[in-house]
Amino acid sequence: MAHYFKEPSHTFSEYLLVPGYTSEDCIPANVSLETPLVKFKKGEESAIKLSIPLVSAIMQSVSNDTMAIALAREGGISFIYCSQSVEDEAAMVAKVKAYKAGFVVSDSNVTPENTLSDVVEIVSATGHNTLAVTDNGKHDGKLLGIVTSRDYRVSRMSPDTLVKEFMTPFDKLITAPLGTSLKEANDIIWENKLNSLPIIDENANLKYLVFRKDYSEHKDNPKELLDSQKRYVVGAGINTLDYEKRVPALIEAGADVLCIDSSEGYSCWQKKTLEYIRKNYGDSVKVGAGNVVDREGFMFLAEAGADFIKVGIGGGSICITREQKGIGRGQATALIDVVEARNEYYEKTGVYIPVCSDGGIVHDYHMTLALAMGADFMMLGRYFARFDESPTSKLNINGTYVKEYWGEGSNRARNWQRYDLGGKTGLSFEEGVDSYVTYAGNLRDNVAKSLYKVKSTMCDFGVTNIPDLQKKAKITLVSATSIVEGGYHDVMLKTTSGK
């Protein structure tokens, strides 16, 4: 006979936090959100710690090298998507590791033969106002000039005007040689009142751009996530099919941590993948696994050697796995069950395996709930897809700015490896949708706002770190009527039309 759970599974929206005593020194400025990323033994520390409990999802529309750099600046980590060739994913990882704080590899480039129309299109798509002009239109081509918003006026110039006619040519640029330190570059910028400084090699090939604005940003990021060589920390997704080729390439490229990308992780395929990594790399390569939704799934992946375990099936905003296959569990219930298993495993073995809550985060307060319920960090897709730094284009739909967002289980992603059941060669049906999300601006400001809410709520319990939150939090299940009561009700909202 089938096993029936006695209680229904619940989502984060069905819970509220009950505040406790707040002491005088418990203010958001004193709250630390540091949290472990990979497993460690009792009495030891995790080999990789996050400054903030946020990682970006292994998705085409979310996590590329641009997102990875931006999130590492804030203290989180991105997992570069694996639904691309091994070579392309490794190149993205290498680009993040080669990035020097303040030294930007130009990703908006044109040739002298491009037109003003091309420039406007690139600026609209990327939001970048500084374009390098190189002989081949690539980031490492011979530098011939620079185009900024000061070099052209769309209203007074023909769209067919060639870049070479309005760019600032090389002989009028101030540049610096490769090997220039960040301090030296910034001194040149300030002394010459520049907005950007090209860094070139002995053959005038462009290597980096240093921006005035990045100097202050670097100073303002004390929690940025760096490795022992002061390079940004970056993760990478892998699948359970080509791991024997993908894993070595990603490690060679410099990936700090890997994560198996799968809609359902309680499988022999994940075990085989983990066994391959442990056999060939021992514990030197860190790898997360998942997703699971119950104790049995956690214990299976823990014994298989996972460094962290992801929780959640069907809770993502673009995921339709539950609708298509009828599998999954309410995210809050799944997390509570897996955290209990994690704690049991820790008591039994002395090994603490961090839990990642993946999916189901709709409101910022859900982040606090997930942490209070025992998650060490959260993997987010929709949340990050809204920002400037995500890989997709910003569009104007009926007067509203949006960004594209699609699931890895959609036909657009064509990521059938994620749903492999031992040899199938394509998607038989979709487990994700293709959609838009409302554009929200830059990552830095939005993450700061969201995490300030988390810190403020933690202060309502009188705690200043995540472990204490998990010990002291009081959580209550609420009724449907209580949920309605929690929003505005029995009032008429004022309109903003001016009528």
Side-chain angles (χ1 to χ4, degrees):
M1 179 177 175
H3 174 78
Y4 291 88
F5 290 92
K6 295 180 181 180
E7 296 292 332
S9 62
H10 299 284
T11 67
F12 291 131
S13 290
E14 295 174 80
Y15 288 92
L16 286 175
L17 294 153
V18 178
Y21 172 71
T22 303
S23 61
E24 187 175 320
D25 63 342
C26 193
I27 57 175
N30 292 338
V31 174
S32 168
L33 294 178
E34 186 177 84
T35 191
L37 178 69
V38 296
K39 68 183 178 185
F40 58 94
K41 295 179 180 179
K42 182 180 290 187
E44 299 179 356
E45 290 192 346
S46 176
I48 305 176
K49 288 184 178 181
L50 300 171
S51 299
I52 61 173
L54 305 180
V55 305
S56 66
I58 312 169
M59 301 175 70
Q60 293 175 10
S61 56
V62 179
S63 296
N64 65 348
D65 49 289
T66 305
M67 176 62 71
I69 292 168
L71 188 50
R73 279 177 176 166
E74 304 307 315
I77 188 172
S78 288
F79 286 89
I80 304 293
Y81 68 92
C82 55
S83 50
Q84 58 180 321
S85 71
V86 172
E87 294 75 18
D88 287 346
E89 185 181 9
M92 281 192 182
V93 170
K95 191 173 180 180
V96 178
K97 300 307 289 188
Y99 181 92
K100 299 178 181 179
F103 290 83
V104 179
V105 175
S106 178
D107 57 4
S108 295
N109 311 288
V110 291
T111 71
E113 302 304 317
N114 280 113
T115 65
L116 174 60
S117 178
D118 296 327
V119 169
V120 171
E121 184 177 346
I122 292 173
V123 171
S124 176
T126 65
H128 300 159
N129 290 314
T130 299
L131 280 64
V133 185
T134 61
D135 61 343
N136 57 8
K138 296 182 178 180
H139 67 87
D140 56 357
K142 186 173 183 179
L143 183 64
L144 302 177
I146 290 287
V147 171
T148 72
S149 58
R150 294 178 298 180
D151 293 314
Y152 61 88
R153 292 190 67 175
V154 175
S155 61
R156 296 189 179 184
M157 296 169 60
S158 168
D160 296 328
T161 305
L162 297 180
V163 167
K164 63 184 177 183
E165 296 179 28
F166 61 88
M167 70 181 187
T168 301
F170 181 82
D171 58 7
K172 292 186 178 180
L173 295 176
I174 294 175
T175 63
L178 187 64
T180 300
S181 70
L182 184 59
K183 182 181 184 306
E184 291 170 337
N186 282 304
D187 287 342
I188 296 171
I189 287 173
W190 285 98
E191 289 169 5
N192 294 277
K193 300 181 180 179
L194 305 174
N195 286 323
S196 64
L197 175 70
I199 306 296
I200 59 175
D201 65 15
E202 65 275 10
N203 298 314
N205 293 314
L206 179 64
K207 306 307 291 184
Y208 304 104
L209 292 172
V210 178
F211 291 92
R212 173 188 289 261
K213 63 181 179 64
D214 285 343
Y215 176 76
S216 57
E217 285 185 6
H218 179 59
K219 290 293 184 181
D220 290 341
N221 288 298
K223 296 185 181 299
E224 58 188 358
L225 209 61
L226 304 174
D227 65 15
S228 59
Q229 299 177 51
K230 297 192 180 301
R231 302 174 301 176
Y232 283 132
V233 173
V234 62
I238 60 174
N239 60 58
T240 57
L241 286 178
D242 65 5
Y243 55 86
E244 292 185 3
K245 180 181 179 183
R246 193 171 293 267
V247 170
L250 295 174
I251 296 304
E252 177 68 23
D256 297 278
V257 59
L258 307 176
C259 185
I260 303 173
D261 182 36
S262 175
S263 64
E264 201 280 300
Y266 190 0
S267 72
C268 62
W269 316 114
Q270 293 222 359
K271 183 178 180 181
K272 289 181 178 181
T273 304
L274 290 167
E275 287 175 343
Y276 164 82
I277 292 172
R278 295 297 170 238
K279 178 181 178 181
N280 289 276
Y281 299 95
D283 292 328
S284 64
V285 170
K286 307 303 181 184
V287 56
N291 288 16
V292 298
V293 292
D294 62 6
R295 177 186 182 279
E296 288 75 14
F298 174 89
M299 291 298 184
F300 174 81
L301 292 178
E303 294 296 338
D307 284 293
F308 67 82
I309 294 174
K310 291 201 297 168
V311 179
I313 294 177
S317 60
I318 41 71
C319 185
I320 53 173
T321 295
R322 296 179 192 175
E323 179 182 309
Q324 292 283 48
K325 297 174 70 174
I327 65 171
R329 201 175 190 189
Q331 185 67 13
T333 299
L335 180 59
I336 292 168
D337 196 6
V338 170
V339 165
E340 287 180 355
R342 187 270 310 283
N343 295 342
E344 176 187 335
Y345 187 84
Y346 180 54
E347 289 298 319
K348 178 182 177 182
T349 66
V351 177
Y352 185 93
I353 302 179
V355 166
C356 169
S357 181
D358 179 14
I361 301 292
V362 180
H363 306 291
D364 287 344
Y365 83 88
H366 289 170
M367 296 182 184
T368 317
L369 270 168
L371 295 172
M373 289 176 175
D376 295 280
F377 57 96
M378 294 150 282
M379 178 171 280
L380 306 169
R382 179 195 61 83
Y383 179 84
F384 287 114
R386 304 172 301 145
F387 303 151
D388 289 318
E389 295 82 0
S390 73
T392 62
S393 299
K394 182 174 72 172
L395 308 172
N396 190 313
I397 305 294
N398 298 325
T400 300
Y401 282 105
V402 298
K403 297 203 76 176
E404 295 179 292
Y405 179 47
W406 60 91
E408 289 299 294
S410 67
N411 272 320
R412 179 171 183 174
R414 302 187 65 79
N415 186 11
W416 63 269
Q417 296 94 332
R418 190 174 196 265
Y419 303 88
D420 178 58
L421 293 176
K424 72 177 185 178
T425 58
L427 285 171
S428 300
F429 54 88
E430 292 184 271
E431 292 189 42
V433 300
D434 196 345
S435 64
Y436 299 116
V437 289
T438 303
Y439 169 69
N442 67 68
L443 179 147
R444 180 180 176 82
D445 291 343
N446 281 278
V447 166
K449 184 184 298 183
S450 295
L451 294 183
Y452 187 85
K453 293 179 186 178
V454 173
K455 291 179 179 180
S456 180
T457 306
M458 289 172 65
C459 289
D460 289 331
F461 297 101
V463 300
T464 56
N465 58 67
I466 293 173
D468 284 347
L469 170 67
Q470 294 167 346
K471 294 174 185 174
K472 296 185 178 181
K474 294 183 289 184
I475 304 171
T476 180
L477 191 64
V478 297
S479 68
T481 305
S482 178
I483 294 173
V484 173
E485 179 187 60
Y488 70 83
H489 57 89
D490 301 312
V491 296
M492 182 182 298
L493 292 183
K494 294 180 180 180
T495 63
T496 56
S497 64
K499 296 181 179 179

